[in-house]
């Protein structure tokens, strides 16, 4: 028997995912954006802290 890993949106729950995406769209429309290099640095630093 193979166990199917839930997709990210299933873990979030649809309502939470849509709220997150809606906020992201509002942020972009309002100009609340982050420099891409800074964003990637933030993401990579968070991934470095993840223990697997």
């Amino acid at each position: 028997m193979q166990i199917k890993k839930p997709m990210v949106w299933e873990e979030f729950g649809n309502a939470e995912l849509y709220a997150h995406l809606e906020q992201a769209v509002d942020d972009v429309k309002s100009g609340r954006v982050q420099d891409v290099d800074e964003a990637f640095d933030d993401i990579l630093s968070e991934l470095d802290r993840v223990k697997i």
Side-chain angles (χ1 to χ4, degrees), residues 16-42:
E16 290 178 55
L17 176 63
Y18 288 124
H20 183 76
L21 292 175
E22 184 177 13
Q23 181 64 51
V25 169
D26 288 343
D27 288 344
V28 171
K29 287 181 179 178
S30 299
R32 295 184 302 261
V33 294
Q34 188 177 18
D35 177 70
V36 70
D37 290 328
E38 187 179 318
F40 285 134
D41 288 343
D42 288 348

